[in-house]
Every structure is written in structure tokens, then in C-alpha cells.
């Protein structure tokens, strides 16, 4: 049967065959995956994250491969944010029976493409029928050595806040999609990187490990909004995090998109989220691939240049 057939036409076993073919692993195919032993003096790290159609992605905005790429990056970013190395992933899909087999295979292909960048594998999962398409990834990683993980409660006054990745791009891309769909006018083609950042975010593999190895103490990823995520770190660590307005100022692409959509681009930077930018604190110079964006001080909450943030919103699961 071809990829244009639906899930209910071909059945669960055929769909699983297509997923395994798109993301092959010698560890996949039995009741459970038996992972190789972790390196000596290391610990296992695990995280899970769910994506619901219409809430986290839309088929008319994203290809199946992009949905898969987004699903794995948002999970692997959580592993990296602990200073760990992603090693494997499990995929569970709940989908309507009329979902094309090719669409599910495309999701698996997108996951396999991003897993390959980490030398990680899709090692198993589950498939079931539901009224809407739901994708859940469970990511696993390895935290090497005896050093502490980069938890939210280890930011300290006197440290520098550093970042790896764009800030505000995903939110700007979402705003463009809401206005134009996946068909930007020709005169706006230079804004495609913003759309791509929302549909298929990227993260340079290994930056979390580098941050931990070079002395970072706390880290998270920008998933719910910069002020909101930094606010959680500030609360857990009982500090103030002061963002440098010059370091996080909207770049030319964000300013251009803001002019087109009549939106203040600072809103995307401060409350956008879903960039999965790594945000870490350190007493030392910014690790390779990171840049300084603020300071950790005595006090509470988050400020921008010593003032209250102009925008404080962010992602809320039940909003």
C-alpha cells in the first residue's frame, strides 16, 4: 500500500513499518528498547513534550518533516539545557484514522534528520487512533562526569547571563503565518527565516554540554518567553536577572517584520518563546557559540536595563 493511503486503511503495523523505515534504529522493533550502558560516571536525563495539531502546529503551515523537526528540537533543547547530550527518543502519535500514511512517515523523517545531527536515534514509541493529531516525544540523554546538572536554582549574583540562538524569531514567524499563511508576498521573501524559525526551529548540537564544561551553573531554554523563562530562573535562584537592552534589541529582520505587521518587535523578543534559545549563567567569559545578554544581581525578578520589562507575556498551556 502507498503513502497516500490512510492509517485506518493500512493498519497499525504497516504505519509502524513506515516510521521505522523513515527513522531506522537497530534498537527499535521489540516490546521495549534496550539502550547501551551509559558512559562511566554519567547519569541519564529524560524529558517529554507534547504537540497538538491546531495548538502547536498546523498542517497548512508546516510540512510533516518540519513538524517532526520541531517535535525533536523542543525536546532535545530540554536535554541540552541540563548540560547533557541527547542520545535517544521515543515517539508516540495519536491520529485520526483518515491521516495519510505519508504524513506520519514525513514526521518520522523529520525526527530522523534532527536526531542524526546528535548521533541519536528514534528507538521506539506508540501509535493509536484519536480525534485529533497529537505527537509526543520522550527524549533521553547522558549527563557526563560528576559535575552538577545546570538546574534553574543555581544562578548567582555576579554572574553573566549568556545566550545561544535567536530570540524573538519564532514569535515573529508565527505572526507572519497568521497574517499571510505559508505564502509570503514576494516583496517580503527576506522574512522567510522568521517563518522557518517557527515551523522548524534549530539548535546547534552540543552547546549545552559546552556551557556546562566551561563553568556555567544554571541553564534553561527560551520556550515560554524570555521574561517568563528568566523569571522562573530568577525565582528559583532568588536573584534579579537584568537583561541588557542593547544585547537583546530586535535585529533588522524583526524590525522589518514589525513594520509590516504593525507590531512592536520587542513584544516578540520579551514574550515570544519557542525559539529554544539556550540561556545560561556563568562567572566566566561566554562559552563558544554564546553571547552576553545580561547580568545576575541581588534582588528579585527580571528587569531590562534596570527597568520593568515592557512586555511580560508568554506561552500559557491553558490560555
Amino acid at each position: 500500500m502507498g503513502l497516500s493511503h490512510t492509517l485506518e486503511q493500512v493498519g497499525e503495523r504497516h504505519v509502524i513499518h513506515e516510521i521505522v523505515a523513515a527513522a531506522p534504529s537497530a534498537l527499535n522493533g521489540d516490546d521495549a528498547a534496550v539502550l547501551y550502558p551509559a558512559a562511566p560516571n554519567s547519569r541519564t536525563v529524560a524529558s517529554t513534550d507534547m504537540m497538538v495539531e491546531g495548538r502547536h502546529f498546523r498542517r497548512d503551515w508546516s510540512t510533516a518533516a518540519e513538524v517532526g523537526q520541531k517535535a525533536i528540537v523542543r525536546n532535545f533543547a530540554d536535554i541540552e539545557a541540563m548540560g547533557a547530550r541527547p542520545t535517544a527518543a521515543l515517539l508516540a502519535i495519536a491520529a485520526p484514522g483518515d491521516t495519510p500514511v505519508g504524513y506520519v512517515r514525513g514526521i518520522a523523517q523529520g525526527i530522523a534528520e534532527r536526531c542524526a545531527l546528535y548521533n541519536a536515534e528514534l528507538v521506539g514509541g506508540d501509535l493509536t487512533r484519536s480525534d485529533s493529531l497529537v505527537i509526543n516525544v520522550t527524549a533521553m540523554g547522558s549527563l557526563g562526569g560528576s559535575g552538577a546538572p545546570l538546574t534553574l536554582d543555581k544562578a548567582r549574583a555576579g554572574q553573566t547571563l549568556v545566550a545561544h540562538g535567536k530570540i524573538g524569531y519564532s514569535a515573529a514567524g508565527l505572526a507572519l503565518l497568521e497574517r499571510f499563511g505559508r505564502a509570503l508576498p514576494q516583496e517580503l521573501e527576506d522574512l522567510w527565516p522568521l517563518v522557518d524559525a517557527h515551523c522548524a526551529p534549530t539548535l546547534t548540537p552540543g552547546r549545552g554540554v559546552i556551557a556546562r564544561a566551561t563553568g556555567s551553573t544554571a541553564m534553561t531554554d527560551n520556550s515560554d518567553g524570555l521574561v517568563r523563562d528568566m523569571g522562573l530562573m530568577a525565582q528559583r535562584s532568588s536573584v534579579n536577572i537584568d537583561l541588557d537592552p542593547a544585547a537583546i534589541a530586535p535585529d533588522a529582520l524583526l524590525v522589518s517584520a514589525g513594520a509590516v505587521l504593525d507590531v512592536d518587535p520587542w513584544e516578540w523578543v520579551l514574550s515570544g518563546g519557542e525559539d529554544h534559545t539556550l540561556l545560561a549563567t556563568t562567572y566566566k567569559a561566554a562559552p563558544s557559540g554564546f553571547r552576553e545578554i545580561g547580568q545576575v544581581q541581588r534582588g528579585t525578578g527580571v528587569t531590562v536595563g534596570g527597568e520593568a520589562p515592557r512586555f511580560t507575556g508568554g506561552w500559557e498551556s491553558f490560555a
Side-chain angles (χ1 to χ4, degrees), residues 98-112:
D98 60 0
T99 304
V101 174
Y103 192 83
V104 173
R105 183 183 176 112
I107 291 172
Q109 288 173 330
I111 288 175

Side-chain angles (χ1 to χ4, degrees), residues 86-307:
T87 56
L90 298 167
L91 169 66
I93 296 179
D98 60 0
T99 304
V101 174
Y103 192 83
V104 173
R105 183 183 176 112
I107 291 172
Q109 288 173 330
I111 288 175
E113 288 169 9
R114 291 297 169 87
C115 279
L117 299 177
Y118 291 86
N119 196 29
E121 295 180 349
L122 182 64
V123 298
D126 191 25
L127 178 69
T128 191
R129 180 193 287 266
S130 71
D131 294 333
S132 58
L133 178 57
V134 180
I135 301 164
N136 187 78
V137 170
T138 297
M140 289 163 284
S142 177
L143 187 72
S146 58
L150 303 184
T151 53
L152 288 165
D153 61 349
K154 294 298 190 296
R156 297 292 181 263
Q159 292 184 324
T160 299
L161 178 68
V162 298
H164 168 71
K166 303 291 187 181
I167 300 175
Y169 269 42
S170 178
L174 174 59
L176 288 167
L177 286 164
E178 289 174 336
R179 175 71 63 87
F180 301 107
R182 196 64 186 261
L184 286 182
Q186 186 173 359
E187 65 272 18
L188 300 180
E189 287 188 347
D190 62 322
L191 301 181
W192 272 113
L194 302 177
V195 174
D196 293 337
H198 178 75
C199 293
T202 59
L203 183 67
T204 305
R207 293 297 128 182
V209 173
I210 288 173
R212 179 168 173 262
T214 55
S216 294
T217 59
M219 186 155 62
T220 189
D221 72 303
N222 178 25
S223 56
D224 295 335
L226 182 60
V227 171
R228 181 163 292 193
D229 287 323
M230 288 298 88
L232 182 58
M233 181 181 288
Q235 178 186 13
R236 294 279 184 88
S237 297
S238 299
V239 295
N240 165 257
I241 295 178
D242 187 48
L243 301 169
D244 180 354
I248 64 171
D251 66 11
L253 274 185
L254 292 175
V255 170
S256 179
V260 168
L261 299 173
D262 194 25
V263 173
D264 184 343
W266 276 100
E267 182 174 359
W268 297 326
V269 170
L270 296 176
S271 60
E274 285 205 315
D275 290 303
H276 302 296
T277 302
L278 294 178
L279 303 159
T281 60
T282 180
Y283 285 113
K284 302 180 180 181
S288 175
F290 285 76
R291 64 192 185 279
E292 294 186 10
I293 67 165
Q295 299 295 320
V296 185
Q297 306 172 155
R298 294 183 183 277
T300 59
V302 178
T303 52
V304 180
E307 304 292 334

